[in-house]
Amino acid sequence: MASGDVFESQTKSLAVPRVNLLTMFRLGLFQMGLSMMSILTLGVLNRVMIQEIAIPATLVAVVLALPLFVAPSRIWFGQISDAKPLWGYHRTVYVWVGAAIFAIAAFLAVQVMWQMNIAASSVGGWTWTVQTIGWTALLALIFAVYGLGICASGTAFAALLVDISEEDNRSKVVGVVWSMLMLGIIVGAIISSSLLKQLTPEATVETLQAGINRLFTIVPAIVFGLAILATFGVEKKYSLYSSRSTLLNREDSITLGNAWKILTASPQTGLFFTFLVVMTLCLFMQDPVLEPYAGQVFGMPLAESTKLNVYYGIGLLIAYSVTGFLIVPRLGKRRTTRLGCMLVAFCALLLGISGFTANAAFLKLGLVLFGLATGFLTTGAISLMLDLTAAEAAGTFIGAWGLAQSISRGIAVVIGGTVLDIGRRLLPSLELAYGLVFALEALGMVVSIWFLNRVNVTEFQTNTKQAIASVLESDLD
């Protein structure tokens, strides 16, 4: 019997129950927490730094993208969680430690932001001085640490989903868990709006600072608690690979070098990686500009623009609730993903057109539809991603897919802010400047379909299985 077959037979022999619906919802609490943190960083900080403090949008975009640019660490965190249990767990403790790091870093980032405001105000507005450069560098460092915490916890969590699921129920796991992520967007937006509702456009800096400090104290603490509640006991009870480090002396055999060999064994890995990069790039290009768009084009105050995420989240929540259970089983993962790409392109154009109406209701409707389209796309793409993940090196593959998504999302944030700055300089109106960002999103989404059409799951699984068997057999010799 080949060593790959030995591993498969040993893991299948583990007596573990099948993950139930209640546990899926509990796991979703972690994704709910992550989306709440995203609302804080992109939904609040970018608006405050661009509009209230008047920091250049490109600089804000670069700083906020730094957590995504540390994504290469995901492959390392994934391989480490595969091979090195922490306090007896391959996934759970990595999730907890990472959550603690990003929760603390988020609070510290806000304190540095206020120091940047003081430094800018002392010279009559934003300009490059020794003080502003120093505080900007410190903020960048804190956001990089924040990103490392996200990478450690997010990679281990996604690998845990592979460990506890099987091919026939993965779309359901994705549907439930990512529905909770969208619920987090809604809850985070409501909490943020509630805590910031007293902040009118005429509010003083002191009032603004007190409200945002309270927000960044309460929400990170909630998020850390959700991370513990979501994952406590799940790995031990449900993981098919909870004894992975004892199987075939796995801790010594699947090294980082061997994991890389497995990761690169199939050209399909590169194709799907490229699809994820292009798709994610186009899906999140509007992230750094949406709230400023609402403020500058539609005249919305801070609390109201933050609440826009509720409309986006409603669309996502509806899509996630039905796609994993109804759409994917009928259309298949690839066709669902392709349909999602086309719908996202259409809705991005719709968001751009809404600016010319100056009608907030049109913008909100566009965001609901954009959320629906995004839900179709991400459910199909994530389900496909889990199929393109070898269980024996789940952390490494999840790290690679997370790298593709994070790096491209970081680039998307930078491109979104940069294109907005370019548009504001070259185009005659704010509506056209913001519309340029949405039009570029739609174009790129069409391009991503070309790569998706060339992905072959069967070829990937065949090549990867052979590579795993070869690696394990060579280590046994």
Side-chain angles (χ1 to χ4, degrees), residues 237-253:
K237 182 176 181 180
Y238 293 104
S239 177
L240 295 168
Y241 306 99
S242 58
S243 301
R244 59 173 64 242
S245 62
T246 63
L247 296 174
L248 296 176
N249 197 22
R250 193 176 188 281
E251 182 172 337
D252 295 326
S253 59

Side-chain angles (χ1 to χ4, degrees), residues 14-236:
L14 297 173
V16 293
R18 191 176 177 88
V19 62
N20 55 42
L21 189 60
L22 179 60
T23 302
M24 294 181 196
F25 277 109
R26 185 155 70 88
L27 284 164
L29 293 175
F30 175 78
Q31 291 289 61
M32 179 177 173
L34 283 187
S35 60
M36 290 170 66
M37 292 301 299
S38 178
I39 291 296
L40 290 193
T41 53
L42 285 177
V44 175
L45 291 190
N46 73 317
R47 162 73 187 259
V48 173
M49 287 194 281
I50 291 174
Q51 187 162 331
E52 273 70 24
I53 301 180
I55 299 174
T58 301
L59 175 60
V60 173
V62 170
V63 171
L64 291 180
L66 282 174
L68 304 169
F69 287 137
V70 298
S73 65
R74 285 180 176 269
I75 294 179
W76 182 75
F77 283 127
Q79 190 275 331
I80 288 295
S81 73
D82 278 342
K84 303 287 184 181
L86 189 60
W87 300 333
Y89 292 91
H90 282 276
R91 314 299 186 195
T92 306
V93 179
Y94 287 94
V95 173
W96 294 354
V97 172
I101 291 172
F102 69 66
I104 294 170
F107 175 79
L108 294 177
V110 174
Q111 309 315 309
V112 174
M113 183 185 73
W114 299 129
Q115 296 301 317
M116 292 173 68
N117 181 55
I118 293 172
S121 299
S122 67
V123 293
W126 182 263
T127 186
W128 288 109
T129 65
V130 173
Q131 282 189 316
T132 57
I133 290 173
W135 287 117
T136 300
L138 181 57
L139 183 65
L141 176 62
I142 291 174
F143 266 104
V145 173
Y146 172 89
L148 289 173
I150 294 287
C151 288
S153 59
T155 301
F157 178 79
L160 177 62
L161 296 186
V162 176
D163 290 351
I164 66 171
S165 66
E166 299 175 63
E167 186 173 348
D168 64 340
N169 72 337
R170 278 180 184 152
S171 65
K172 296 178 181 179
V173 172
V174 170
V176 172
V177 171
W178 264 259
S179 292
M180 295 294 286
L181 184 148
M182 294 312 109
L183 184 61
I185 289 180
I186 297 172
V187 172
I190 292 173
I191 292 176
S192 299
S193 179
S194 176
L195 292 175
L196 298 174
K197 63 183 177 182
Q198 79 278 15
L199 302 180
T200 64
E202 297 76 28
T204 64
V205 173
E206 291 74 17
T207 303
L208 184 69
Q209 182 172 340
I212 292 179
N213 280 347
R214 182 169 62 254
L215 180 66
F216 274 79
T217 300
I218 295 172
V219 175
I222 292 173
V223 170
F224 178 66
L226 289 176
I228 295 177
L229 180 61
T231 54
F232 186 82
V234 171
E235 180 177 356
K236 183 177 181 180

Side-chain angles (χ1 to χ4, degrees), residues 300-470:
M300 294 182 182
L302 177 59
E304 188 177 354
S305 67
T306 301
K307 198 181 291 184
L308 285 176
N309 288 287
V310 172
Y311 300 98
Y312 175 64
I314 288 172
L316 280 164
L317 186 59
I318 294 171
Y320 281 146
S321 299
V322 301
T323 306
F325 287 86
L326 300 177
I327 307 300
V328 172
R330 286 170 172 76
L331 293 183
K333 297 164 187 175
R334 186 200 301 271
R335 291 176 63 187
T336 301
T337 306
R338 187 184 299 116
L339 174 62
C341 288
M342 292 186 287
L343 291 175
V344 167
F346 170 77
C347 292
L349 293 175
L350 193 64
L351 288 175
I353 293 171
S354 70
F356 296 96
T357 70
N359 186 333
F362 192 177
L363 175 63
K364 293 171 183 176
L365 173 62
L367 285 171
V368 173
L369 295 176
F370 191 84
L372 284 167
T374 302
F376 271 80
L377 172 56
T378 51
T379 302
I382 293 168
S383 299
L384 193 60
M385 180 188 80
L386 296 184
D387 282 352
L388 289 160
T389 298
E392 296 88 339
T396 305
F397 274 94
I398 290 297
W401 306 143
L403 169 63
Q405 293 173 301
S406 296
I407 287 292
S408 52
R409 188 167 183 175
I411 295 172
V413 171
V414 174
I415 290 177
T418 302
V419 170
L420 175 59
D421 278 346
I422 293 172
R424 288 193 291 201
R425 290 186 180 184
L426 301 181
L427 298 175
S429 69
L430 281 173
E431 291 83 1
L432 286 172
Y434 281 102
L436 182 62
V437 178
F438 294 115
L440 192 59
E441 272 191 317
L443 177 62
M445 194 57 69
V446 174
V447 173
S448 71
I449 297 174
W450 187 88
F451 293 101
L452 175 64
N453 289 339
R454 283 153 181 77
V455 173
N456 187 313
V457 176
T458 302
E459 180 183 331
F460 166 85
Q461 292 175 341
T462 300
N463 292 344
T464 305
K465 185 176 181 179
Q466 291 172 349
I468 292 169
S470 176

